[in-house]
Amino acid sequence: MLALVGGTLIDGTGQEPVSDSVVLVGDQGRIEAAGTRGAVQIAPDIPRLDITGKTVLPGLIDCHDHLASFGYSLESRWGLTEPRSTRDLRIGQVLEDTLRTGYTTVRDCGWLDTGFKTAVDEGLVAGPRLLVASSPLSPTHGGQDRPADSGHRRYSMSDPVMPYGIADGVDGVRAAVRELVRVGTDVIKVFQTGFGRATHRDVDTAYSLEELRALVDESHILGKKVACHAIGGPGLRTAVEAGVDSIEHGCYLDLEPDLLKMMADQGAYLVPTLTVFTFHETRGNPVAQEESQAFKRHHVETVQRAMSEGVKVVAGTDAGGWIHGNNAAELELLVQAGMTPMQSLVAGTGWAAGCLGLERELGTVVPGKIADLVVVDGDPLADITILQDKERVQLVIKDGKIHHDGITQIGRGS
Ligand SMILES: [Zn+2]
């Protein structure tokens, strides 16, 4: 057991912070108790860590990342830039670095094979708890279908263990979902509009309503949520009407107030992924730059309208192709888009767990939940950017086990 004593507790529910708190981590990797120092009894034999002046938070959650992506070129997407062994070890390093920054859970929305999840679970490599989409789905000429300009086509990751991810027609999408679940996929990711390609612009539709309904139905039958890339246009409408569980990006939702209402009614989450578009704006290919710049204003407006309509907006970076290990940048961008720092923290903890369907296990510092915790030096409500400072993220606990300890005062203090 371990007692974190004296810090300010932000529990991930959105409730007021608790100063001079105690969080008790039990031997089973669960939170035993959390509250004010006066309210929580600490047995004399329990090791204590004095975290006075620091803030304790739930482990952070990124609802949309690509841990196996290292660039947007076709060469990189096809896995031609380096041997697979080098790439796999590089991914291992990213997993470790990401956990070190306080991200204890990451939903990978495409191209990380499920073996990495097994490797983390077995302790072969340190990393966040993973929910893995494996191969995203799209129809022919959709987001997963990436031929060369010549028309030459090959498997997206040149990896025979990963499903192809391109499926057409009602029967085709049902079979594709089953194939993904067969390899251990946790979440079904689908591209329902384009982005960043001259031949498939951000408001071009991928699946018909009939196809997408079948995809969602089959996923739900198999107990999987559907995370849907949809930026705008008719495809965005189809996605909401088909009942997907989260809209990824959703940049033009501000133009569709009825869709925001539908999302709120259906309990669908919005994962705006502001981080990735800040990169696309200046560093993307010409089409991606143009599209990102065009919808920037809408994207910020979308976050604000979604919040006021009661849609849960959660944190996801989608930044893997550009940069790894700075996932907390999204929390800063959500604040810039109009959230309070507390709302932003909930978007990256309690609500994020809900988006992943893990709200009973993760996301808040509540007795009985898995003990994923981060201690940061300072007050993230006063300055949300401190979560991006590796030196200030001083303690990372996942499943009740310490993965990083920059405090090293266990047993001292009171
Ligand atoms: Zn993505």
Side-chain angles (χ1 to χ4, degrees):
M1 288 190 65
L2 173 66
L4 305 177
V5 181
T8 298
L9 168 64
I10 295 177
D11 69 5
T13 65
Q15 288 176 19
E16 286 296 302
V18 177
S19 55
D20 197 21
S21 69
V22 173
V23 177
L24 272 185
V25 178
D27 290 332
Q28 305 305 314
R30 301 260 167 184
I31 293 162
E32 293 254 322
T36 60
R37 193 192 292 248
V40 179
Q41 292 277 335
I42 312 173
D45 58 329
I46 293 175
R48 297 167 183 228
L49 187 57
D50 182 1
I51 57 166
T52 305
K54 308 178 199 300
T55 304
V56 56
L57 303 153
L60 299 169
I61 299 172
D62 190 326
C63 295
H64 188 139
D65 202 350
H66 296 282
L67 297 161
S69 295
F70 298 93
Y72 288 89
S73 68
L74 198 62
E75 194 187 19
S76 167
R77 288 187 185 277
W78 282 7
L80 304 176
T81 49
E82 59 187 351
R84 185 162 181 90
S85 50
T86 313
R87 179 180 158 275
D88 285 351
L89 290 166
R90 196 180 302 288
I91 294 168
Q93 185 69 59
V94 169
L95 290 169
E96 197 174 332
D97 291 348
T98 303
L99 178 60
R100 165 66 185 84
T101 62
Y103 275 78
T104 51
T105 302
V106 172
R107 182 168 76 168
D108 191 277
C109 281
W111 309 299
L112 184 75
D113 80 62
T114 54
F116 287 96
K117 176 184 161 137
T118 309
V120 169
D121 290 347
E122 290 188 4
L124 299 176
V125 61
R129 176 178 298 95
L130 294 173
L131 281 84
V132 175
S134 180
S135 299
L137 296 181
S138 86
T140 302
H141 182 49
Q144 174 72 355
D145 189 10
R146 297 180 190 280
D149 291 343
S150 65
H152 178 69
R153 181 173 166 181
R154 64 178 285 171
Y155 286 90
S156 61
M157 292 302 292
S158 65
D159 182 349
V161 309
M162 293 186 80
Y164 196 16
I166 299 174
D168 296 286
V170 165
D171 292 342
V173 298
R174 285 192 186 272
V177 169
R178 291 169 185 157
E179 188 186 13
L180 283 168
V181 174
R182 184 175 66 190
V183 300
T185 296
D186 301 293
V187 56
I188 306 300
K189 164 75 182 299
V190 54
F191 285 105
Q192 179 56 359
T193 74
F195 177 74
R197 255 193 274 173
T199 55
H200 204 206
R201 303 300 293 246
D202 56 12
V203 294
D204 290 348
T205 301
Y207 281 119
S208 69
L209 180 59
E210 192 186 22
E211 288 172 308
L212 199 56
R213 278 198 172 132
L215 186 153
V216 171
D217 182 56
E218 192 63 39
S219 302
H220 289 175
I221 286 171
L222 295 172
K224 306 301 174 189
K225 289 186 180 292
V226 177
C228 182
H229 166 115
I231 287 182
L236 174 61
R237 178 164 295 276
T238 314
V240 177
E241 288 179 357
V244 301
D245 299 288
S246 60
I247 294 288
E248 311 294 311
H249 322 309
C251 316
Y252 287 120
L253 271 168
D254 65 318
L255 301 176
E256 320 272 0
D258 63 316
L259 292 186
L260 285 170
K261 285 193 173 62
M262 277 175 71
M263 287 176 67
D265 290 346
Q266 294 170 5
Y269 288 78
L270 173 64
V271 193
T273 70
L274 300 167
T275 306
V276 74
F277 294 111
T278 62
F279 287 106
H280 285 315
E281 257 178 59
T282 54
R283 292 165 60 179
N285 68 44
V287 175
Q289 285 194 27
E290 181 198 319
E291 290 183 332
S292 299
Q293 287 162 10
F295 63 57
K296 187 174 189 183
R297 175 173 59 85
H298 295 281
H299 210 179
V300 168
E301 180 76 16
T302 287
V303 170
Q304 294 175 6
R305 289 203 186 185
M307 293 288 285
S308 62
E309 288 292 346
V311 176
K312 288 180 177 171
V313 178
V314 298
T317 55
D318 196 16
W322 292 116
I323 186 175
H324 292 284
N326 193 31
N327 307 61
E330 185 71 13
L331 305 181
E332 180 188 3
L333 291 172
L334 286 169
V335 170
Q336 287 175 10
M339 280 192 183
T340 65
M342 181 61 95
Q343 286 172 330
S344 160
L345 290 174
V346 172
T349 56
W351 282 6
C355 178
L356 273 44
L358 294 173
E359 64 276 13
R360 291 187 185 165
E361 294 280 39
L362 297 175
T364 54
V365 184
V366 169
K369 287 206 179 177
I370 292 171
D372 284 5
L373 297 162
V374 181
V375 174
V376 59
D377 188 23
D379 178 8
L381 296 179
D383 180 2
I384 195 75
T385 68
I386 66 173
L387 289 164
Q388 297 171 54
D389 183 346
K390 217 171 161 182
E391 296 305 310
R392 298 183 79 160
V393 176
Q394 295 185 337
L395 188 72
V396 180
I397 296 177
K398 184 186 137 201
D399 277 321
K401 295 191 190 73
I402 294 177
H403 279 271
H404 168 68
D405 177 10
I407 304 173
T408 61
Q409 292 178 358
I410 292 177
R412 289 187 237 157
S414 59

